[in-house]
Amino acid sequence: MNRPSPSAITIARARQMLESARALIFDVDGTLAETEEVHRRAFNHAFVQMRLDWRWGRTVYRQLLKTAGGKERIRAFDRSCRSQQSLSDQDIIELHRIKTSRYAELIASGDCPLRPGVEALLVSARRRGQRLAIATTTSLENIDALLSTALGNDWAARFDAIVAGDEVARKKPAPDVYLEVLKRLAIPASNCLAIEDSHNGSVAASLAGIPVVITRSVYFDDEDFSEALAVKDLAELSL
Ligand code: XBP
Ligand code: MG
């Protein structure tokens, strides 16, 4: 008798969790779309505009992604490359503003589509009567840039709750964004499913008591997700 492979078991289990959850809570960056490469380009654009001799290559950025939050990432990098922080909080806010503006321009070009299986899952979930939510570290501005390009200007109508990083006290891996989504949905954590791509996101959802399915993204393709169900992408779970 042919035993199912571990990946077949994982896919079957993840598919069952996706179908039976009362609400699906999506991370954004790396999960809905491979946006981190666009973020990285936008950061580098902002460094040039602010006349900083910084440039984040892919290898450095992969490490910097361990810090959730663009402003927090800039601050962490600044502290790592100088004995004391040289950028003021105002500098960081201005740098991040320039970066966010450039990110929106790059996303509007249409070069960053939703990942395989994402839109089909949003449609099938709605058809099953499931609630949909977003729990992300990025800003509402960035979510709007991505989803208005990918889903149209009425994209927000698809979601029952949308919580962005700056709306809560602590960013991932703290559970704050997920706890706020649960509050707005008024659904128990165990009846929901979080869909994530990073260790920070998996920890944040788990701390909120929410089961997690990982969809591997480019910048976290080598991450150890032994504590969660990990699939290559949501197209494997097309229902
Ligand atoms: C990923 C992040 C964000 C983005 C950059 O968020 O950590 O900080 O890298 O966006 P997600 P900002 O939880 O969606 O994976 O510069 O707006 O923070
Ligand atoms: Mg992510």
Side-chain angles (χ1 to χ4, degrees):
M1 179 185 81
N2 290 333
R3 287 181 182 283
S5 67
S7 62
I9 293 170
T10 298
I11 288 172
R13 174 81 180 112
R15 189 175 284 150
Q16 184 270 330
M17 290 170 74
L18 265 176
E19 278 187 316
S20 58
R22 286 180 54 198
L24 302 179
I25 308 172
F26 291 86
D27 164 55
V28 174
D29 294 303
T31 298
L32 292 182
E34 289 287 7
T35 53
E36 289 299 354
E37 186 55 13
V38 183
H39 282 300
R40 184 183 72 86
R41 288 166 56 198
F43 277 113
N44 286 329
H45 167 84
F47 300 153
V48 171
Q49 295 302 303
M50 293 272 286
R51 293 180 173 66
L52 284 168
D53 62 349
W54 294 356
R55 189 190 176 283
W56 289 351
R58 289 185 176 84
T59 305
V60 164
Y61 194 62
R62 182 184 287 264
Q63 292 307 311
L64 290 170
L65 275 173
K66 294 186 190 312
T67 302
K71 295 188 284 290
E72 294 78 2
R73 198 166 301 143
I74 294 167
R75 187 171 290 115
F77 180 75
D78 188 29
R79 285 183 180 149
S80 73
C81 57
R82 288 178 174 80
S83 53
Q84 77 284 338
Q85 182 177 342
S86 67
L87 291 182
S88 68
D89 289 348
Q90 198 47 48
D91 289 337
I92 290 173
I93 289 167
E94 177 61 9
L95 193 56
H96 194 252
R97 186 195 63 75
I98 296 169
K99 175 261 176 185
T100 299
S101 172
R102 180 64 178 154
Y103 175 82
E105 288 171 2
L106 293 170
I107 288 289
S109 69
D111 287 350
C112 189
L114 296 182
R115 291 188 60 184
V118 167
E119 186 163 7
L121 176 55
L122 294 176
V123 171
S124 60
R126 266 293 180 237
R127 197 181 303 124
R128 282 193 299 275
Q130 290 173 300
R131 312 280 293 284
L132 296 176
I134 286 176
T136 176
T137 304
T138 195
S139 60
L140 197 53
E141 191 175 355
N142 286 348
I143 305 169
D144 184 47
L146 176 71
L147 297 186
S148 54
T149 302
L151 298 174
N153 290 332
D154 61 347
W155 65 269
R158 295 175 181 238
F159 296 92
D160 300 281
I162 302 166
V163 181
D166 285 343
E167 294 180 71
V168 293
R170 298 172 304 164
K171 294 183 176 175
K172 299 174 187 177
D176 297 30
V177 279
Y178 280 106
L179 292 172
E180 180 59 26
V181 164
L182 290 174
K183 192 171 132 194
R184 296 185 193 181
L185 291 177
I187 295 176
S190 57
N191 295 146
C192 298
L193 182 68
I195 300 159
E196 271 283 356
D197 74 309
S198 70
H199 182 67
N200 278 339
S202 177
V203 169
S206 302
L207 286 174
I210 303 169
V212 182
V213 164
I214 295 292
T215 169
R216 285 193 175 282
S217 63
V218 167
Y219 271 104
F220 294 104
D221 61 1
D222 60 349
E223 194 93 356
D224 172 18
F225 288 116
S226 50
E227 89 284 359
L229 280 172
V231 295
K232 179 176 165 302
D233 60 40
L234 295 175
E236 290 184 300
L237 307 182
S238 53
L239 306 167

